[in-house]
Amino acid sequence: MLQSKIQEYTEEIRAFAPSNNEDVENFRLKFLVAKGIVRNLFEEFKGVPSEQKRLLGKELNELKNLAESTYEEAKQKFIDSSDGDDTEHLDLSLPAEGMQLGSRHPLSLVRKEIIGIFAKLGFVVSEGPEIEDDWHNFTALNFPPEHPARDMQDTFFISNDKENPIALRTHTSSVQVRMMEQGKPPFRAIMPGRVYRNEAISARAHCFFHQVEGLYVDKEVSFADLKQTLFYFVQELFGEGTKVRFRPSYFPFTEPSAEMDISCSICKGKGCQLCKQSGWVEILGCGMVDPQVLENCGIDSEEFSGFAFGMGIERIANLKYEIRDLRLFSENDLRFLSQFDSELI
Ligand code: PHE
């Protein structure tokens, strides 16, 4: 009898208490597919005498709705929320997946090492803004307006106000100016920071890079102090026995000026691709602070003298880690970065 079947299944559906996906799927297969119970009952309904059709039709529709809503509810609870992931097979006794630790960026590692070495000599860290005015980046450093030396540094200008152009700093020498203006000698500080130059990006040049510059101003500071300080620095950073040589050079803010080479850390001076077979690689510019620069910053150049130097962190990192392409530093490629395992503090 159709009526008793409807009653029986209604009770069965009401009592349905699935405990996993499989129960829910079996429910669907039993009641809701083309050859399932609900369809079969409708088939049977066709043969019911017409005086019973009204009542049984209503009951049958209710059964159908009940089966569908029960299934939807159960599906939401199990199938939808499991994201296709069969929680039934979750094995809580499995060992946990290791947490991936990050590593320090190679430029941070090198910067940290440089700061550490100069700290032993009593140099403190001094920082300044990346957006600079003309005075701090150029004029105070002896680059008069229209001076051709300004072309040495391809500048990104932010505002071209004739009176006071604003630019992205092209070197951290600007921080030296700020420091000298604000304080009183003696100064012994290094200035790490990001600098910008309008250059086409290639393996050997980038539109931004990082520098550490240094400044030492006191009474009777001499070129010998400069040489000894940088010699000590190089022994610490590249190992004892690393040779240094100074070549005369030109910077508007130092006089005399020099560039310092070290014996190639890769071929140990024998000659390789990196040092272009010369056995030497240039790592920094330096010199005695031009007395005019001291005066520009309100320091009596009769009483005080000083030396300054500046190096690119990328260049040092290239030498230390044999990196041949500057672009690697800013591409955030984990295959590159994860090679620099380091302590996290
Ligand atoms: N400011 C120079 C540069 O960026 C480097 C430098 C600093 C040279 C101090 C000499 C003395 O190229």
Side-chain angles (χ1 to χ4, degrees):
M1 264 279 294
L2 185 57
Q3 190 163 27
S4 60
K5 279 188 197 163
I6 292 175
Q7 262 167 21
E8 211 176 285
Y9 287 130
T10 302
E11 268 160 44
E12 183 180 333
I13 293 171
R14 289 215 173 101
F16 177 59
S19 50
N20 53 38
N21 283 343
E22 221 174 313
D23 291 349
V24 181
E25 180 59 6
N26 285 339
F27 179 92
R28 187 182 71 87
L29 294 173
K30 182 169 181 185
F31 288 98
L32 296 171
V33 291
K35 291 215 162 84
I37 285 168
V38 173
R39 278 293 187 84
N40 285 344
L41 293 179
F42 272 98
E43 282 302 310
E44 220 172 290
F45 176 75
K46 287 182 188 159
V48 164
S50 48
E51 65 272 15
Q52 292 180 19
K53 275 212 155 125
R54 245 190 88 174
L55 176 69
L56 283 182
K58 187 167 165 267
E59 286 181 5
L60 193 50
N61 268 325
E62 278 168 7
L63 176 73
K64 175 174 166 266
N65 290 341
L66 179 68
E68 282 173 357
S69 62
T70 305
Y71 171 68
E72 284 304 323
E73 236 171 74
K75 191 171 95 155
Q76 269 197 0
K77 199 162 151 204
F78 289 97
I79 300 179
D80 290 354
S81 66
S82 69
D83 265 343
D85 181 68
D86 199 347
T87 41
E88 220 192 333
H89 296 128
L90 191 68
D91 182 351
L92 294 176
S93 67
L94 282 175
E97 267 181 41
M99 218 210 296
Q100 269 216 324
L101 287 184
S103 53
R104 268 181 190 273
H105 193 282
L107 294 178
S108 304
L109 287 176
V110 173
R111 183 186 52 203
K112 195 173 155 223
E113 203 176 340
I114 296 174
I115 292 175
I117 296 170
F118 281 104
K120 285 196 258 177
L121 294 174
F123 284 74
V124 297
V125 170
S126 176
E127 285 176 336
E130 291 183 16
I131 297 174
E132 257 310 356
D133 54 26
D134 192 69
W135 169 258
H136 291 96
N137 197 76
F138 290 121
T139 312
L141 290 161
N142 259 356
F143 293 83
E146 316 301 335
H147 191 283
R150 290 191 182 214
D151 294 342
M152 280 165 68
Q153 311 199 332
D154 303 295
T155 311
F156 281 118
F157 286 98
I158 289 177
S159 115
N160 239 338
D161 173 4
K162 284 260 163 350
E163 294 293 297
N164 187 19
I166 303 291
L168 296 178
R169 67 181 177 195
T170 59
H171 50 186
T172 57
S173 303
S174 53
V175 186
Q176 307 188 7
V177 175
R178 286 182 178 275
M179 192 178 187
M180 289 192 282
E181 280 176 341
Q182 282 160 17
K184 279 203 164 68
F187 300 110
R188 205 187 298 174
I190 54 171
M191 297 82 189
R194 182 175 288 177
V195 301
Y196 301 84
R197 293 192 194 172
N198 192 354
E199 302 219 27
I201 297 172
S202 71
R204 303 173 57 93
H206 211 294
C207 57
F208 67 80
F209 61 98
H210 301 79
Q211 281 190 326
V212 176
E213 295 214 353
L215 176 71
Y216 187 11
V217 177
D218 204 343
K219 291 180 180 159
E220 291 173 15
V221 176
S222 71
F223 203 89
D225 298 320
L226 164 63
K227 282 175 85 174
Q228 186 55 40
T229 304
L230 294 179
F231 180 76
Y232 170 79
F233 163 66
V234 165
Q235 305 306 303
E236 289 284 299
L237 190 65
F238 290 102
E240 289 230 356
T242 307
K243 293 194 197 113
V244 300
R245 74 175 184 190
F246 290 80
R247 282 178 292 102
S249 184
Y250 170 76
F251 300 102
F253 35 88
T254 46
E255 181 59 37
S257 305
E259 272 165 333
M260 190 179 85
D261 298 342
I262 61 167
S263 49
C264 180
S265 59
I266 290 165
C267 64
K268 305 282 173 255
K270 287 194 205 82
C272 68
Q273 216 190 345
L274 195 122
C275 62
K276 300 201 194 89
Q277 311 305 329
S278 72
W280 294 96
V281 279
E282 181 203 321
I283 63 161
L284 55 79
C286 57
M288 300 307 291
V289 182
D290 191 306
Q292 183 59 48
V293 173
L294 295 175
E295 295 291 337
N296 289 345
C297 300
I299 293 168
D300 183 353
S301 62
E302 299 285 327
E303 193 181 353
F304 294 100
S305 56
F307 67 74
F309 56 88
M311 68 192 99
I313 303 185
E314 278 81 352
R315 179 129 189 90
I316 308 274
N318 286 351
L319 288 171
K320 272 192 87 85
Y321 301 118
E322 297 187 41
I323 297 162
R324 300 282 158 95
D325 191 330
L326 271 181
R327 290 168 292 197
L328 286 166
F329 291 120
S330 50
E331 278 169 351
N332 281 340
D333 187 334
L334 278 181
R335 289 169 302 177
F336 172 70
L337 295 177
S338 60
Q339 294 176 53
F340 301 91
D341 274 345
S342 55
E343 81 279 24
L344 283 169
I345 22 145

